[in-house]
Amino acid sequence: MSFSGKIAIAGIHEYESRWAPDKTSFQIMGECTREALTDAGLTLSDVDGLFCASMASDAMMPVQLSEYLNIKPRYLDGSNIGGSSFVSHVAHAAAAIHAGLCDVGLILYGSTAASDAMAIGTGNSGGRDPGAAFNTPYGMTLVSSYAMVAHRHMHEYGTTSEQLADIAVSTRHHASLNPHAKMQNPITRADVLESRVIADPLHLLDCCIISDGGGAVIVTSLERAKDLRQKPVVVRGTGESVAHREIGAPDLTTIAAKQSGEQAFAMAGLSPADMHLATIYDSFTITVLCTLENLGFCKKGEGGAFVENGGIGLGGRLPVNPDGGGLSSNHSGMRGIFLVIEAVRQLRGGLGARQVEGAELAVAHGTGGYLGLMHSGATLILSNS
Amino acid sequence: MADEKQNPEYSAPAIDWESRAYWEGAGRGELVLQRCRDCGVVQHRPRGLCASCLSDDIEHFVASGRGEVYTYSVVRQNQMPAFAKAVPYVVSYVQLEEGPQLLTNIVDCDPDTVTIGMPVKVDFVPTPSKNGDVLGVPRFVPA
């Protein structure tokens, strides 16, 4: 009954610029729609499902976007579970298509986070949840929420700042091979460790960049995708979940990826060892390390050894974020859609210097929210045959 | 205390009926936790239902105020005015003796001396609200 193997990604587009002060977020999404439809060989009239989330306007986002694009989808999904939303939207689109509720799903994101001078991460953790009053008095920033996870990981497993720095170094190397990446100059471990501390133990270069950007992903049935312009990339497994500060004594280093990853790999009938690459939400270096452990690429506590010295670089044991990730290429507030797009690009092949050779299976994992407070996780497993 | 550099300024917390007993307790200098009379679980943050069994038979009690640092971060950048002048300050989850963890600040010590496992005890800053409620904000100091 599962949709595994029956649904495909037929079109993608990542907005090329990282700086768009002359554009609105809707314009960026409109342009991405046009380019992704062209990529797929479809037209706007084919779109009958719309999936979107935004930092700026949560309320009625699919309604506003339908008006902007002048479409009347028969399936609307504005689920917003944070930056991971777009990874989960692929699963939602797959389910809706499999159930016959729509045929062509369009997933969209656009933002002018950088040109709006949004200072993401170093303000207080506001929040509209009823528990926000218990956080706001204490000045817990987004960065410090992740930093507290990093400290706990270091305490329990001996993980070092050097190991975390190596995540940033590998990712920047990848960005240097991506002409669209925002930060392309290579960095060293020392550069990361000598950059200023934002919230101990996370340095500036342990943190994602802030850019403008957007993207579009088109999902349809594998059957229909076979007649379209691109070789289909097939949805093999999906999972989503949440983790939060449970009553009692929670474990801060077990994150939502554990549950969503188990679901996704089980649906796909595959294991982490089968994956040729991973795109992982790298809001901060610690996010990557915890995600790798919780998805099962290594045992809990062994993430430091897994990532150090190029372990997650091109040519390493598992290339992670070959596009340069949110740490160096594109983090326009919510990054989930770019995880899907880069995984699809890698599985289509032909990316030149940053191509993962022989890439046939990829996992994308998004984390949304505050890792040390409450967050969502969404996992997607894709194949090119 | 409140004018020490590493201590953020606290304003009156936004309270609702689920959290009133907690913040009023802090106003009296008491750390108030909840216990479920049905399943016995001790919980924080306070809510109208037991988050383990959904019972609404909840009692409040005064906790010891003792615990240890479960994890922490020294915040060195925050552009919010009240906190920008307080950096560097320590944000921490404190593991309370009674079981729950609590997000808080560790104050009255050099931020660089805070360690995981360090024993701490509660301290309170009075934060009267505009409508006259006597409230407070709990934070922790080295024990």
Side-chain angles (χ1 to χ4, degrees), chain A residues 316-332:
Chain A
R317 55 177 71 87
L318 176 78
V320 173
N321 297 337
D323 62 339
L327 288 168
S328 289
S329 174
N330 192 358
H331 193 289
S332 39

PDB file of all heavy atoms in Angstrom, chain A residues 316-332:
ATOM      1  N   GLY A 316      35.016  10.943   0.543  1.00  0.00           N
ATOM      2  CA  GLY A 316      35.041  10.394   1.903  1.00  0.00           C
ATOM      3  C   GLY A 316      34.070   9.230   2.040  1.00  0.00           C
ATOM      4  O   GLY A 316      33.497   8.762   1.060  1.00  0.00           O
ATOM      5  N   ARG A 317      33.865   8.780   3.294  1.00  0.00           N
ATOM      6  CA  ARG A 317      33.025   7.602   3.488  1.00  0.00           C
ATOM      7  C   ARG A 317      31.568   7.887   3.146  1.00  0.00           C
ATOM      8  O   ARG A 317      30.857   6.988   2.699  1.00  0.00           O
ATOM      9  CB  ARG A 317      33.157   7.066   4.910  1.00  0.00           C
ATOM     10  CG  ARG A 317      32.866   8.065   6.016  1.00  0.00           C
ATOM     11  CD  ARG A 317      32.953   7.390   7.386  1.00  0.00           C
ATOM     12  NE  ARG A 317      34.326   7.051   7.746  1.00  0.00           N
ATOM     13  CZ  ARG A 317      35.161   7.882   8.365  1.00  0.00           C
ATOM     14  NH1 ARG A 317      34.764   9.109   8.690  1.00  0.00           N
ATOM     15  NH2 ARG A 317      36.379   7.521   8.658  1.00  0.00           N
ATOM     16  N   LEU A 318      31.117   9.124   3.332  1.00  0.00           N
ATOM     17  CA  LEU A 318      29.761   9.508   2.934  1.00  0.00           C
ATOM     18  C   LEU A 318      29.771  10.997   2.592  1.00  0.00           C
ATOM     19  O   LEU A 318      29.782  11.831   3.489  1.00  0.00           O
ATOM     20  CB  LEU A 318      28.755   9.263   4.073  1.00  0.00           C
ATOM     21  CG  LEU A 318      27.328   9.726   3.753  1.00  0.00           C
ATOM     22  CD1 LEU A 318      26.631   8.719   2.839  1.00  0.00           C
ATOM     23  CD2 LEU A 318      26.506   9.942   5.023  1.00  0.00           C
ATOM     24  N   PRO A 319      29.768  11.331   1.311  1.00  0.00           N
ATOM     25  CA  PRO A 319      29.710  12.757   0.965  1.00  0.00           C
ATOM     26  C   PRO A 319      28.404  13.376   1.475  1.00  0.00           C
ATOM     27  O   PRO A 319      27.322  12.848   1.218  1.00  0.00           O
ATOM     28  CB  PRO A 319      29.770  12.763  -0.565  1.00  0.00           C
ATOM     29  CG  PRO A 319      30.387  11.442  -0.933  1.00  0.00           C
ATOM     30  CD  PRO A 319      29.911  10.483   0.115  1.00  0.00           C
ATOM     31  N   VAL A 320      28.541  14.477   2.233  1.00  0.00           N
ATOM     32  CA  VAL A 320      27.380  15.167   2.786  1.00  0.00           C
ATOM     33  C   VAL A 320      27.346  16.593   2.233  1.00  0.00           C
ATOM     34  O   VAL A 320      28.348  17.301   2.249  1.00  0.00           O
ATOM     35  CB  VAL A 320      27.451  15.190   4.335  1.00  0.00           C
ATOM     36  CG1 VAL A 320      26.331  16.056   4.915  1.00  0.00           C
ATOM     37  CG2 VAL A 320      27.356  13.775   4.896  1.00  0.00           C
ATOM     38  N   ASN A 321      26.202  16.992   1.760  1.00  0.00           N
ATOM     39  CA  ASN A 321      25.985  18.342   1.242  1.00  0.00           C
ATOM     40  C   ASN A 321      27.019  18.767   0.194  1.00  0.00           C
ATOM     41  O   ASN A 321      27.734  19.759   0.376  1.00  0.00           O
ATOM     42  CB  ASN A 321      25.942  19.365   2.395  1.00  0.00           C
ATOM     43  CG  ASN A 321      24.772  19.096   3.325  1.00  0.00           C
ATOM     44  OD1 ASN A 321      23.787  18.469   2.926  1.00  0.00           O
ATOM     45  ND2 ASN A 321      24.867  19.557   4.550  1.00  0.00           N
ATOM     46  N   PRO A 322      27.056  18.037  -0.921  1.00  0.00           N
ATOM     47  CA  PRO A 322      28.031  18.382  -1.959  1.00  0.00           C
ATOM     48  C   PRO A 322      27.788  19.736  -2.619  1.00  0.00           C
ATOM     49  O   PRO A 322      28.657  20.230  -3.342  1.00  0.00           O
ATOM     50  CB  PRO A 322      27.913  17.230  -2.970  1.00  0.00           C
ATOM     51  CG  PRO A 322      26.699  16.478  -2.620  1.00  0.00           C
ATOM     52  CD  PRO A 322      26.366  16.757  -1.192  1.00  0.00           C
ATOM     53  N   ASP A 323      26.652  20.362  -2.358  1.00  0.00           N
ATOM     54  CA  ASP A 323      26.396  21.704  -2.914  1.00  0.00           C
ATOM     55  C   ASP A 323      27.011  22.809  -2.063  1.00  0.00           C
ATOM     56  O   ASP A 323      27.036  23.970  -2.474  1.00  0.00           O
ATOM     57  CB  ASP A 323      24.885  21.952  -3.051  1.00  0.00           C
ATOM     58  CG  ASP A 323      24.157  21.911  -1.711  1.00  0.00           C
ATOM     59  OD1 ASP A 323      24.688  21.317  -0.745  1.00  0.00           O
ATOM     60  OD2 ASP A 323      23.051  22.471  -1.620  1.00  0.00           O
ATOM     61  N   GLY A 324      27.497  22.474  -0.884  1.00  0.00           N
ATOM     62  CA  GLY A 324      28.018  23.502   0.012  1.00  0.00           C
ATOM     63  C   GLY A 324      27.072  23.843   1.143  1.00  0.00           C
ATOM     64  O   GLY A 324      27.372  24.691   1.994  1.00  0.00           O
ATOM     65  N   GLY A 325      25.898  23.205   1.141  1.00  0.00           N
ATOM     66  CA  GLY A 325      25.008  23.259   2.298  1.00  0.00           C
ATOM     67  C   GLY A 325      24.567  24.651   2.720  1.00  0.00           C
ATOM     68  O   GLY A 325      24.737  25.637   2.002  1.00  0.00           O
ATOM     69  N   GLY A 326      23.977  24.679   3.884  1.00  0.00           N
ATOM     70  CA  GLY A 326      23.572  25.945   4.483  1.00  0.00           C
ATOM     71  C   GLY A 326      24.751  26.644   5.142  1.00  0.00           C
ATOM     72  O   GLY A 326      24.735  27.851   5.367  1.00  0.00           O
ATOM     73  N   LEU A 327      25.787  25.876   5.451  1.00  0.00           N
ATOM     74  CA  LEU A 327      26.974  26.468   6.054  1.00  0.00           C
ATOM     75  C   LEU A 327      27.686  27.380   5.067  1.00  0.00           C
ATOM     76  O   LEU A 327      28.312  28.359   5.471  1.00  0.00           O
ATOM     77  CB  LEU A 327      27.926  25.362   6.531  1.00  0.00           C
ATOM     78  CG  LEU A 327      27.482  24.578   7.777  1.00  0.00           C
ATOM     79  CD1 LEU A 327      28.338  23.342   7.960  1.00  0.00           C
ATOM     80  CD2 LEU A 327      27.541  25.457   9.024  1.00  0.00           C
ATOM     81  N   SER A 328      27.597  27.052   3.762  1.00  0.00           N
ATOM     82  CA  SER A 328      28.378  27.833   2.796  1.00  0.00           C
ATOM     83  C   SER A 328      27.658  28.221   1.508  1.00  0.00           C
ATOM     84  O   SER A 328      28.062  29.174   0.860  1.00  0.00           O
ATOM     85  CB  SER A 328      29.649  27.064   2.411  1.00  0.00           C
ATOM     86  OG  SER A 328      30.563  27.039   3.490  1.00  0.00           O
ATOM     87  N   SER A 329      26.615  27.487   1.121  1.00  0.00           N
ATOM     88  CA  SER A 329      26.020  27.810  -0.177  1.00  0.00           C
ATOM     89  C   SER A 329      24.755  28.650  -0.064  1.00  0.00           C
ATOM     90  O   SER A 329      24.683  29.740  -0.629  1.00  0.00           O
ATOM     91  CB  SER A 329      25.694  26.537  -0.962  1.00  0.00           C
ATOM     92  OG  SER A 329      24.987  26.871  -2.155  1.00  0.00           O
ATOM     93  N   ASN A 330      23.749  28.141   0.624  1.00  0.00           N
ATOM     94  CA  ASN A 330      22.433  28.774   0.555  1.00  0.00           C
ATOM     95  C   ASN A 330      21.640  28.484   1.825  1.00  0.00           C
ATOM     96  O   ASN A 330      21.253  27.335   2.061  1.00  0.00           O
ATOM     97  CB  ASN A 330      21.687  28.211  -0.675  1.00  0.00           C
ATOM     98  CG  ASN A 330      20.430  29.003  -1.020  1.00  0.00           C
ATOM     99  OD1 ASN A 330      20.071  29.962  -0.339  1.00  0.00           O
ATOM    100  ND2 ASN A 330      19.753  28.596  -2.075  1.00  0.00           N
ATOM    101  N   HIS A 331      21.440  29.490   2.651  1.00  0.00           N
ATOM    102  CA  HIS A 331      20.522  29.330   3.785  1.00  0.00           C
ATOM    103  C   HIS A 331      19.670  30.576   3.856  1.00  0.00           C
ATOM    104  O   HIS A 331      20.014  31.553   4.502  1.00  0.00           O
ATOM    105  CB  HIS A 331      21.250  29.093   5.100  1.00  0.00           C
ATOM    106  CG  HIS A 331      20.311  28.622   6.174  1.00  0.00           C
ATOM    107  ND1 HIS A 331      19.377  29.457   6.750  1.00  0.00           N
ATOM    108  CD2 HIS A 331      20.112  27.406   6.724  1.00  0.00           C
ATOM    109  CE1 HIS A 331      18.668  28.770   7.622  1.00  0.00           C
ATOM    110  NE2 HIS A 331      19.082  27.527   7.634  1.00  0.00           N
ATOM    111  N   SER A 332      18.550  30.489   3.171  1.00  0.00           N
ATOM    112  CA  SER A 332      17.664  31.650   3.104  1.00  0.00           C
ATOM    113  C   SER A 332      16.539  31.506   4.128  1.00  0.00           C
ATOM    114  O   SER A 332      15.378  31.677   3.826  1.00  0.00           O
ATOM    115  CB  SER A 332      17.130  31.790   1.685  1.00  0.00           C
ATOM    116  OG  SER A 332      16.829  30.525   1.122  1.00  0.00           O
TER     117      SER A 332
END
